[in-house]
Coordinates of all heavy atoms in Angstrom, one line a residue:
Chain Q
E152 N 47.2 -3.8 46.4 CA 46.4 -4.9 45.8 C 47.2 -5.3 44.5 O 47.8 -4.5 43.9 CB 45.1 -4.3 45.4 CG 44.1 -5.3 44.8 CD 42.7 -4.6 44.6 OE1 42.3 -3.7 45.3 OE2 42.0 -5.1 43.6
H153 N 47.1 -6.6 44.2 CA 47.7 -7.0 42.9 C 46.8 -8.1 42.2 O 45.8 -8.4 42.8 CB 49.1 -7.4 43.1 CG 49.3 -8.8 43.7 ND1 49.9 -9.8 42.9 CD2 49.0 -9.3 44.9 CE1 49.9 -10.9 43.7 NE2 49.3 -10.6 44.8
Y154 N 47.3 -8.5 41.1 CA 46.5 -9.4 40.3 C 47.4 -10.7 40.2 O 48.2 -10.9 39.4 CB 46.4 -8.8 38.9 CG 45.7 -9.6 37.8 CD1 45.1 -10.9 38.0 CD2 45.5 -9.1 36.5 CE1 44.4 -11.6 37.1 CE2 44.8 -9.8 35.5 CZ 44.3 -11.0 35.8 OH 43.6 -11.7 34.8
G156 N 49.1 -14.1 39.6 CA 49.2 -14.8 38.3 C 49.8 -13.8 37.3 O 50.9 -14.0 36.8
M157 N 49.0 -12.8 37.0 CA 49.5 -11.8 36.0 C 50.7 -11.1 36.5 O 51.6 -10.8 35.8 CB 48.4 -10.8 35.6 CG 49.0 -9.8 34.6 SD 47.7 -8.9 33.7 CE 48.7 -7.6 32.9
E161 N 54.1 -10.7 34.4 CA 54.6 -9.5 33.9 C 56.0 -9.2 34.4 O 56.8 -8.8 33.6 CB 53.7 -8.3 34.4 CG 52.5 -8.0 33.5 CD 52.9 -7.6 32.1 OE1 53.4 -6.5 32.0 OE2 52.7 -8.4 31.2
H182 N 58.4 -7.8 44.8 CA 57.4 -6.8 45.0 C 56.5 -7.3 46.1 O 56.0 -8.4 46.0 CB 56.6 -6.5 43.7 CG 56.0 -5.1 43.7 ND1 55.1 -4.7 44.7 CD2 56.2 -4.1 42.9 CE1 54.8 -3.4 44.4 NE2 55.4 -3.0 43.4
I193 N 58.8 -1.6 49.7 CA 57.8 -2.1 48.7 C 58.3 -3.0 47.7 O 57.8 -4.0 47.4 CB 57.1 -0.9 48.0 CG1 56.5 0.1 49.0 CG2 56.0 -1.3 47.0 CD1 56.0 1.4 48.3
V194 N 59.4 -2.5 47.0 CA 59.9 -3.2 45.9 C 61.5 -3.2 45.9 O 62.1 -2.3 46.4 CB 59.4 -2.5 44.6 CG1 59.9 -1.1 44.5 CG2 59.8 -3.3 43.3
L217 N 58.1 -1.8 35.4 CA 57.3 -2.3 36.5 C 56.3 -1.2 36.9 O 55.1 -1.6 37.1 CB 58.3 -2.6 37.6 CG 57.9 -3.2 38.9 CD1 59.1 -3.9 39.5 CD2 57.3 -2.3 39.9
K218 N 56.7 0.0 37.0 CA 55.8 1.1 37.4 C 54.6 1.3 36.5 O 53.5 1.6 36.9 CB 56.6 2.5 37.4 CG 57.5 2.7 38.6 CD 56.7 3.5 39.6 CE 57.5 3.7 40.8 NZ 56.8 4.4 41.9
S219 N 54.8 1.0 35.2 CA 53.7 1.2 34.2 C 53.0 -0.1 33.8 O 51.9 0.0 33.2 CB 54.2 1.9 33.0 OG 54.6 3.2 33.2
N220 N 53.6 -1.3 34.1 CA 53.0 -2.5 33.6 C 52.7 -3.5 34.7 O 51.8 -4.4 34.4 CB 53.9 -3.2 32.6 CG 54.0 -2.4 31.3 OD1 52.9 -1.9 30.8 ND2 55.1 -2.3 30.7
A221 N 53.3 -3.5 35.8 CA 53.0 -4.6 36.8 C 51.7 -4.2 37.5 O 51.5 -3.1 37.9 CB 54.2 -4.7 37.8
P222 N 50.8 -5.2 37.5 CA 49.4 -4.9 38.0 C 49.3 -4.8 39.5 O 48.9 -5.7 40.2 CB 48.6 -6.0 37.4 CG 49.5 -7.2 37.2 CD 50.9 -6.6 36.9
F223 N 49.8 -3.6 40.0 CA 49.7 -3.3 41.4 C 48.9 -2.0 41.6 O 49.0 -1.1 40.7 CB 51.0 -3.1 42.1 CG 51.8 -4.3 42.3 CD1 52.8 -4.8 41.4 CD2 51.6 -5.1 43.4 CE1 53.5 -5.9 41.6 CE2 52.4 -6.2 43.7 CZ 53.3 -6.7 42.7
W224 N 48.1 -1.9 42.7 CA 47.4 -0.6 42.9 C 47.6 -0.3 44.4 O 47.4 -1.1 45.3 CB 45.9 -0.8 42.6 CG 45.7 -1.1 41.1 CD1 45.6 -0.2 40.1 CD2 45.7 -2.4 40.5 NE1 45.5 -0.9 38.9 CE2 45.6 -2.3 39.2 CE3 45.8 -3.7 41.1 CZ2 45.5 -3.3 38.3 CZ3 45.7 -4.8 40.2 CH2 45.5 -4.6 38.8
K225 N 47.9 1.0 44.6 CA 48.2 1.4 46.0 C 47.0 2.2 46.6 O 46.5 3.1 45.9 CB 49.4 2.4 46.0 CG 50.7 1.7 45.8 CD 51.8 2.8 45.7 CE 53.2 2.2 45.5 NZ 54.1 3.1 44.9
K226 N 46.6 1.9 47.8 CA 45.6 2.6 48.5 C 46.2 3.2 49.8 O 46.7 2.4 50.6 CB 44.4 1.7 48.8 CG 43.2 2.5 49.3 CD 42.0 1.5 49.4 CE 40.7 2.3 49.5 NZ 39.6 1.3 49.5
W235 N 42.8 5.8 46.7 CA 43.6 5.1 45.7 C 44.6 6.1 45.1 O 44.2 7.3 44.8 CB 42.8 4.5 44.6 CG 42.0 3.3 45.1 CD1 40.7 3.4 45.4 CD2 42.4 2.0 45.3 NE1 40.3 2.2 45.8 CE2 41.3 1.3 45.8 CE3 43.6 1.3 45.1 CZ2 41.4 -0.1 46.1 CZ3 43.7 0.0 45.4 CH2 42.6 -0.7 45.9
V236 N 45.9 5.7 45.0 CA 46.9 6.6 44.5 C 46.7 6.7 43.0 O 46.5 5.8 42.3 CB 48.3 6.0 44.8 CG1 49.4 6.8 44.1 CG2 48.5 6.0 46.3
D237 N 46.8 8.0 42.5 CA 46.7 8.2 41.0 C 48.0 7.8 40.3 O 49.1 8.0 40.8 CB 46.4 9.7 40.7 CG 45.0 10.0 40.9 OD1 44.1 9.1 40.8 OD2 44.7 11.2 41.2
A238 N 47.8 7.3 39.1 CA 49.0 7.0 38.2 C 49.6 8.3 37.8 O 48.9 9.3 37.7 CB 48.5 6.2 37.0
Chain W
K106 N 37.5 -10.1 35.8 CA 38.0 -9.7 37.1 C 38.2 -8.2 37.2 O 38.5 -7.6 36.2 CB 39.4 -10.3 37.3 CG 39.4 -11.9 37.5 CD 40.9 -12.4 37.6 CE 40.9 -13.9 37.7 NZ 41.2 -14.3 39.2
Y107 N 37.9 -7.7 38.4 CA 38.0 -6.2 38.6 C 39.0 -5.9 39.7 O 39.1 -6.7 40.7 CB 36.6 -5.6 39.0 CG 35.5 -5.9 38.0 CD1 34.6 -6.9 38.3 CD2 35.5 -5.2 36.9 CE1 33.5 -7.1 37.4 CE2 34.4 -5.4 35.9 CZ 33.5 -6.4 36.2 OH 32.5 -6.6 35.3
F108 N 39.7 -4.8 39.6 CA 40.7 -4.5 40.6 C 40.6 -3.0 40.9 O 40.1 -2.2 40.2 CB 42.2 -4.7 40.1 CG 42.4 -6.2 39.9 CD1 42.3 -6.8 38.7 CD2 42.8 -7.0 41.0 CE1 42.6 -8.2 38.5 CE2 43.0 -8.4 40.9 CZ 42.9 -8.9 39.6
S109 N 41.2 -2.7 42.1 CA 41.3 -1.3 42.6 C 39.9 -0.6 42.7 O 38.9 -1.3 43.1 CB 42.3 -0.6 41.8 OG 42.5 0.7 42.2
W110 N 39.9 0.7 42.4 CA 38.6 1.4 42.5 C 37.5 0.9 41.5 O 36.3 1.1 41.8 CB 38.7 2.9 42.6 CG 39.5 3.5 41.4 CD1 40.8 4.0 41.5 CD2 39.0 3.9 40.1 NE1 41.2 4.5 40.3 CE2 40.1 4.5 39.4 CE3 37.8 3.7 39.4 CZ2 40.0 4.9 38.1 CZ3 37.7 4.1 38.1 CH2 38.8 4.8 37.5
R112 N 37.0 -2.3 41.0 CA 36.5 -3.4 41.8 C 35.5 -2.9 42.8 O 34.4 -3.4 43.0 CB 37.6 -4.2 42.4 CG 37.2 -5.2 43.5 CD 38.3 -6.0 44.1 NE 39.3 -5.1 44.8 CZ 39.1 -4.4 45.9 NH1 38.0 -4.5 46.5 NH2 40.1 -3.7 46.4
E113 N 36.0 -1.8 43.5 CA 35.1 -1.3 44.6 C 33.8 -0.7 44.0 O 32.7 -0.8 44.6 CB 35.8 -0.2 45.3 CG 37.0 -0.7 46.2 CD 37.7 0.3 47.0 OE1 37.6 1.5 46.7 OE2 38.4 0.0 48.0
R156 N 41.9 0.2 32.0 CA 42.9 -0.7 31.4 C 42.4 -2.1 31.4 O 41.7 -2.5 32.3 CB 44.2 -0.6 32.2 CG 44.9 0.8 32.3 CD 45.5 1.2 31.0 NE 46.2 2.4 31.1 CZ 45.7 3.6 31.0 NH1 44.4 3.7 30.8 NH2 46.4 4.7 31.2
A158 N 43.4 -6.4 30.6 CA 44.3 -7.5 30.3 C 43.4 -8.7 29.9 O 42.4 -9.0 30.5 CB 45.1 -7.9 31.5
N160 N 43.6 -12.7 29.3 CA 44.5 -13.8 29.7 C 45.8 -13.4 30.2 O 46.9 -13.8 29.8 CB 44.7 -14.8 28.5 CG 43.3 -15.3 28.0 OD1 42.4 -15.6 28.9 ND2 43.1 -15.5 26.7
Q161 N 45.7 -12.4 31.1 CA 46.9 -11.9 31.9 C 47.9 -11.1 31.0 O 49.1 -11.0 31.4 CB 47.5 -13.0 32.7 CG 46.5 -13.7 33.6 CD 47.1 -14.6 34.6 OE1 48.3 -14.9 34.6 NE2 46.3 -15.0 35.6
T162 N 47.5 -10.6 29.9 CA 48.4 -9.8 29.1 C 47.7 -8.4 28.8 O 46.5 -8.4 28.4 CB 48.7 -10.5 27.7 OG1 49.3 -11.7 28.0 CG2 49.6 -9.6 26.8
H163 N 48.4 -7.3 29.0 CA 47.9 -6.0 28.7 C 47.4 -5.9 27.2 O 48.2 -6.3 26.3 CB 48.9 -4.9 28.9 CG 49.3 -4.7 30.3 ND1 48.5 -4.1 31.3 CD2 50.4 -5.1 31.0 CE1 49.1 -4.0 32.4 NE2 50.2 -4.6 32.3
E175 N 40.0 -15.0 30.2 CA 40.0 -14.3 31.5 C 40.3 -12.8 31.2 O 41.4 -12.5 30.7 CB 41.1 -14.9 32.4 CG 41.3 -14.2 33.7 CD 42.3 -14.8 34.6 OE1 42.2 -16.0 34.9 OE2 43.2 -14.0 35.1
V176 N 39.3 -12.0 31.4 CA 39.4 -10.6 31.2 C 39.5 -9.8 32.5 O 38.7 -10.0 33.4 CB 38.2 -10.0 30.4 CG1 38.3 -8.6 30.1 CG2 38.1 -10.8 29.0
A177 N 40.6 -9.0 32.6 CA 40.7 -8.2 33.8 C 40.6 -6.7 33.5 O 41.1 -6.3 32.5 CB 42.1 -8.5 34.5
F179 N 40.8 -2.8 35.1 CA 41.4 -2.1 36.2 C 41.9 -0.7 35.8 O 42.1 -0.4 34.6 CB 42.6 -2.9 36.8 CG 43.5 -3.5 35.7 CD1 44.5 -2.7 35.1 CD2 43.5 -4.8 35.4 CE1 45.4 -3.2 34.2 CE2 44.4 -5.4 34.4 CZ 45.3 -4.6 33.8
P180 N 42.1 0.2 36.8 CA 42.6 1.5 36.5 C 44.1 1.4 36.2 O 44.7 0.4 36.4 CB 42.3 2.3 37.7 CG 42.2 1.4 38.8 CD 41.8 0.1 38.2
P181 N 44.8 2.5 35.7 CA 46.2 2.5 35.5 C 46.9 2.0 36.8 O 46.5 2.4 37.9 CB 46.5 4.0 35.2 CG 45.3 4.5 34.6 CD 44.2 3.8 35.3
V182 N 48.0 1.2 36.6 CA 48.6 0.6 37.7 C 49.5 1.6 38.5 O 50.0 2.6 37.9 CB 49.5 -0.6 37.3 CG1 48.6 -1.6 36.5 CG2 50.7 -0.1 36.4
T183 N 49.7 1.4 39.8 CA 50.5 2.3 40.6 C 51.4 1.6 41.5 O 51.6 2.1 42.7 CB 49.5 3.2 41.4 OG1 48.7 2.4 42.2 CG2 48.7 4.1 40.5
G184 N 52.0 0.5 41.1 CA 53.0 -0.2 41.9 C 54.4 0.4 41.9 O 54.5 1.5 41.4
G185 N 55.3 -0.3 42.5 CA 56.7 0.1 42.4 C 57.1 1.0 43.6 O 56.3 1.5 44.3

Side-chain angles (χ1 to χ4, degrees):
Chain Q
E152 179 175 335
H153 78 115
Y154 181 0
M157 179 167 169
E161 273 298 290
H182 204 301
I193 302 171
V194 61
L217 188 157
K218 280 264 177 187
S219 290
N220 288 321
F223 286 97
W224 300 272
K225 287 175 178 158
K226 191 174 197 175
W235 293 97
V236 172
D237 279 335
Chain W
K106 289 176 179 260
Y107 301 105
F108 293 97
S109 183
W110 51 259
R112 172 179 57 72
E113 290 181 345
R156 299 285 185 276
N160 299 324
Q161 306 193 348
T162 299
H163 293 285
E175 175 178 307
V176 178
F179 45 78
V182 303
T183 56

